[in-house]
Amino acid sequence: MASEKVLTFNDDNFDADVLKATVPVLVDFWATWCAPCKAIAPVIDAIADEYDGKVKVGKVNVDDNPGTPGKYGVRGIPTVILFKDGKVVDQVVGAVPKAQLEALIKKAL
């Protein structure tokens, strides 16, 4: 079950919704055909629920929005990038455990 707190980012809204956000933003770069992306989806949903109000959480479909992943050097998916004040704080590639994503978020809080 997907969380309604997980936002959808795309090439058009990325600057406004991610780079200009007033809180840190965790972005999951994914694709519908990617099995590891599906594996990490429940973790992304849980983080969106737990950090609601402290961190924005969203996804970018790399097939539908090729510009944004290219800009940030996304070569493999899933890639999860944490942004704060319009800059990349850190990133991880692959279906990583929830604890690893929480450690990423703590760098920006």
Side-chain angles (χ1 to χ4, degrees), residues 27-91:
V27 181
D28 175 21
F29 291 87
W30 72 288
T32 55
W33 48 264
C34 165
C37 299
K38 290 177 183 160
I40 199 173
V43 175
I44 298 293
D45 291 343
I47 284 177
D49 289 336
E50 288 171 34
Y51 288 88
D52 187 33
K54 294 185 208 120
V55 176
K56 274 169 92 171
V57 177
K59 297 176 169 255
V60 173
N61 183 316
V62 297
D63 289 335
D64 297 340
N65 303 282
T68 304
K71 198 172 177 181
Y72 293 99
V74 173
R75 304 253 184 280
I77 53 173
T79 293
V80 179
I81 302 179
L82 181 67
F83 292 85
K84 184 177 182 182
D85 300 325
K87 295 181 176 45
V88 173
V89 175
D90 205 351
Q91 70 181 50

Side-chain angles (χ1 to χ4, degrees), residues 12-36:
D12 296 329
N13 70 12
F14 198 84
D15 281 0
D17 291 354
V18 177
L19 302 181
K20 294 183 175 137
T22 56
V23 296
V25 186
L26 191 74
V27 181
D28 175 21
F29 291 87
W30 72 288
T32 55
W33 48 264
C34 165

